[in-house]
Amino acid sequence: MTMKQWLFHHQNQSQRMAFAGVFAILLPIFFPHLFRPLGRASPSLFSEWVAPRPRHLPLLKAASNRHIPIRQQSELWAPLPDQGWKACNEPTTVSSLPAHSQGYIQVFLDGGLNQQRMGVCDAVAVAMILNATLVVPHLDLNPVWQDSSSFSDIFDVDHFINVLSNEVKIVKEPPREYAWSTREYYATGIRPTRIKTAPVHASAQWYQENVLPVLQSYGIVAIAPFSHRLAFDQLPTHLQRLRCKVNFEALAFVRDVKVLGDLIVNRLRNTHHQALGSELRENIDGSGHEGSGKYVVLHLRFDKDMAAHSACDFGGGKTEKLALAKYRQVLWQGRVLNSQFTDNELRSQGRCPLTPEEIGLLLAALGFSNNTRLYLASHKVYGGEARIATLKQLFPLMEDKKTLASADELAKVEGKASLLAAVDYYVGHRAYLNSKTIRPNMVLLGPLFLNKSMVWPDFEAAVLNGHRNRQGQIRLRKEKQSIFTYPAPDCMCKS
């Protein structure tokens, strides 16, 4: 997918929404992997699960019986107007490669798919900062998912190298004289060619002062850890746009992911498709609300890492609290800032991930009816079916990969968590081409869910008012915010 395609949903949407009405619901990313030590094994599974009861039962009952006016549904699915921005993606036909490379840079990336993507983008930018040659990044074994998928298993390597060929030289492997520079080599001792001290959100100057001398001395340098190791601020425009180009153009998924993703998108758009193992009702019609291929893509982001790192209470009782506390201790050795606050303090500040029940209530309050087709784009939801039961109660037409594709169609990605996540990523970003993207207002929602006397009309009104300007409108990036989440103005130009 190109950056132009990804950003295209911000431009002239009224001409495109006739093709397919799609919503993408993106929950905040809390980056729990940021503080995980390299090479630490995943803790053993705990006997922890006690199925939680609904925590907002009065709201849930009212939402189940909600009536949504046709006009509200039409407004909900209506496209955004042209906001006057376009992608700055002029093709680079002239090479800007340095005459002489300073050496080879390797990075070892941990975390989930999103975190690894951002690490790749930063690695390309650091290679340009240092006039170095980048070795295709190494993806570490994910200790939570137990997935050993390599870069080439997930991304089209040749496409990656070719798209960036005029800006940064990239090689698949280091040359023979540096064959010793491997992940295993750096895991067995202190090595002078490994940089372990890169600070979070380091400046370009830091790399020039601390990494370049090592690179010039040895001809190769390995940076690990590398997640979130390049600043979003005080970088020249050409570096910011290069990072966007990597994310939105160079990082294309392998063919198996795209084929399966396209199949899922086509079945979501086909209102007559009968999902495997479930019965679908006909959607309403094609007059601007549910029906005619309209659906919501939900990125739930409620896995065990997220739940544990948040230090919030999710209603699973003392057993769950103790299990998540032990999980935090094993993975982060107590270095979790949130754990010093009470659950009420965290929720009042909007620092707790929304549960599937709370997401269901949010969607209902926004005006989505129980006829809405919902695609759940999540690898694993902490608590499984028991945790998402209330969401299904509100939205019975909920789908995922396994309801929309057969076992044979899933065979090439089954059991490979990174590839499964890539499929969901692809489906979600396909949706962006014709979508509004709702970003929940966590600071608003936290206190709302703490208020146990809240009645449905007040909750609905507060949610609607708090999300009128959070449905895909262009928001200019502020200091320290990600250029990947807020690409304007760094990667966009006025149209």
Side-chain angles (χ1 to χ4, degrees):
M1 173 179 303
T2 66
M3 178 170 67
K4 182 177 180 180
Q5 289 175 317
W6 190 88
L7 297 173
F8 188 55
H9 73 282
H10 292 303
Q11 310 168 50
N12 197 19
Q13 291 199 19
S14 59
Q15 297 180 15
R16 304 193 316 279
M17 288 295 290
F19 178 61
V22 185
F23 267 91
I25 314 294
L26 297 181
L27 297 221
I29 304 175
F30 290 81
F31 303 121
H33 298 285
L34 185 58
F35 303 103
R36 172 177 296 150
L38 271 171
R40 182 165 297 279
S42 174
S44 59
L45 294 176
F46 305 117
S47 177
E48 67 198 59
W49 188 245
V50 177
R53 296 178 180 177
R55 308 192 76 190
H56 312 287
L57 193 56
L59 292 178
L60 188 63
K61 289 181 177 179
S64 298
N65 299 314
R66 66 196 183 279
H67 169 71
I68 304 170
I70 295 295
R71 180 178 178 180
Q72 182 181 352
Q73 294 185 46
S74 298
E75 291 176 352
L76 181 65
W77 290 98
L80 291 171
D82 180 10
Q83 298 178 73
W85 290 89
K86 65 178 182 179
C88 298
N89 62 339
E90 296 179 3
T92 53
T93 55
V94 178
S95 175
S96 59
L97 293 175
H100 172 70
S101 172
Q102 297 286 355
Y104 296 87
I105 288 182
Q106 294 175 292
V107 296
F108 304 109
L109 303 174
D110 62 355
L113 182 65
N114 281 330
Q115 188 169 331
Q116 290 173 337
R117 284 184 70 104
M118 288 187 286
V120 173
C121 299
D122 291 349
V124 172
V126 167
M128 175 172 277
I129 290 169
L130 301 178
N131 286 335
T133 299
L134 177 67
V135 179
V136 167
H138 175 91
L139 308 186
D140 280 339
L141 171 69
N142 189 298
V144 176
W145 296 350
Q146 290 297 304
D147 187 344
S148 59
S149 295
S150 68
F151 187 100
S152 61
D153 291 329
I154 303 170
F155 301 109
D156 184 333
V157 178
D158 291 332
H159 177 83
F160 175 68
I161 294 173
N162 292 336
V163 167
L164 301 171
S165 60
N166 284 328
E167 288 117 329
V168 174
K169 184 177 180 181
I170 303 173
V171 295
K172 296 179 181 179
E173 300 286 346
R176 181 174 297 179
E177 62 264 34
Y178 300 116
W180 48 265
S181 185
T182 64
R183 187 66 182 88
E184 293 71 27
Y185 170 76
Y186 293 108
T188 57
I190 298 174
R191 311 297 185 184
T193 53
R194 177 181 174 182
I195 303 294
K196 298 177 65 175
T197 58
V200 173
H201 298 151
S203 66
Q205 182 178 351
W206 187 92
Y207 283 96
Q208 291 167 337
E209 293 177 352
N210 295 275
V211 179
L212 184 58
V214 179
L215 189 63
Q216 291 172 329
S217 296
Y218 295 95
I220 193 166
V221 66
I223 311 174
F226 191 69
S227 295
H228 313 290
R229 269 15 190 223
L230 183 61
F232 287 119
D233 302 310
Q234 297 181 344
L235 289 177
T237 299
H238 73 277
L239 279 177
Q240 298 287 56
R241 291 184 180 175
L242 176 63
R243 294 162 93 182
C244 288
K245 182 175 181 178
V246 178
N247 194 39
F248 304 131
E249 292 187 51
L251 284 175
F253 291 120
V254 294
R255 183 178 182 277
D256 288 342
V257 168
K258 293 191 288 188
V259 168
L260 180 57
D262 287 336
L263 178 147
I264 288 172
V265 169
N266 291 335
R267 289 179 180 171
L268 279 168
R269 285 177 173 158
N270 179 5
T271 57
H272 299 287
H273 171 70
Q274 295 296 311
L276 304 173
S278 65
E279 184 176 339
L280 294 182
R281 296 199 298 272
E282 279 293 319
N283 288 343
I284 301 171
D285 58 40
S287 59
H289 39 78
E290 291 98 338
S292 299
K294 295 176 172 60
Y295 60 93
V296 173
V297 177
L298 174 59
H299 295 253
L300 200 53
R301 290 173 183 155
F302 192 79
D303 57 22
K304 188 171 182 176
D305 263 28
M306 192 76 74
H309 196 268
S310 72
C312 299
D313 179 8
F314 299 105
K318 179 185 280 189
T319 305
E320 178 182 275
K321 287 183 183 179
L322 291 174
L324 291 179
K326 186 175 180 181
Y327 194 84
R328 276 195 298 276
Q329 185 61 35
V330 173
L331 260 65
W332 301 293
Q333 294 76 53
R335 291 177 294 176
V336 176
L337 180 64
N338 281 7
S339 59
Q340 63 184 296
F341 300 104
T342 67
D343 183 71
N344 276 11
E345 288 172 333
L346 292 170
R347 292 187 181 279
S348 65
Q349 299 171 39
R351 294 169 69 174
C352 292
L354 297 179
T355 65
E357 176 188 2
E358 291 165 344
I359 284 296
L361 292 170
L362 167 63
L363 293 175
L366 287 171
F368 293 101
S369 78
N370 63 1
N371 286 309
T372 303
R373 302 193 73 178
L374 201 66
Y375 179 78
L376 185 60
S378 298
H379 170 54
K380 283 185 179 179
V381 175
Y382 179 54
E385 290 296 321
R387 184 71 81 183
I388 64 175
T390 49
L391 179 60
K392 281 188 174 180
Q393 178 183 333
L394 291 173
F395 296 95
L397 304 187
M398 190 166 69
E399 311 273 19
D400 59 22
K401 293 177 291 294
K402 292 186 178 180
T403 64
L404 289 166
S406 68
D408 287 343
E409 290 165 335
L410 291 168
K412 291 184 178 180
V413 300
E414 193 61 52
K416 302 173 183 176
S418 294
L419 289 176
L420 291 169
V423 172
D424 284 335
Y425 189 103
Y426 182 79
V427 171
H429 282 68
R430 277 287 305 274
Y432 292 170
L433 300 181
N434 300 281
S435 75
K436 290 181 178 178
T437 302
I438 297 175
R439 299 187 183 278
N441 186 337
M442 303 296 288
V443 175
L444 167 74
L445 293 169
L448 287 182
F449 286 124
L450 278 176
N451 186 351
K452 299 305 179 184
S453 63
M454 177 75 69
V455 295
W456 179 255
D458 293 342
F459 177 79
E460 183 179 36
V463 167
L464 286 171
N465 289 332
H467 289 84
R468 293 193 189 282
N469 295 317
R470 301 180 68 91
Q471 300 189 22
Q473 292 91 343
I474 292 288
R475 297 171 65 185
L476 299 184
R477 189 180 71 85
K478 299 177 182 178
E479 187 177 2
K480 296 183 180 180
Q481 288 183 330
S482 167
I483 58 171
F484 309 123
T485 305
Y486 303 99
D490 302 81
C491 300
M492 299 183 73
C493 299
K494 283 287 188 177
S495 58

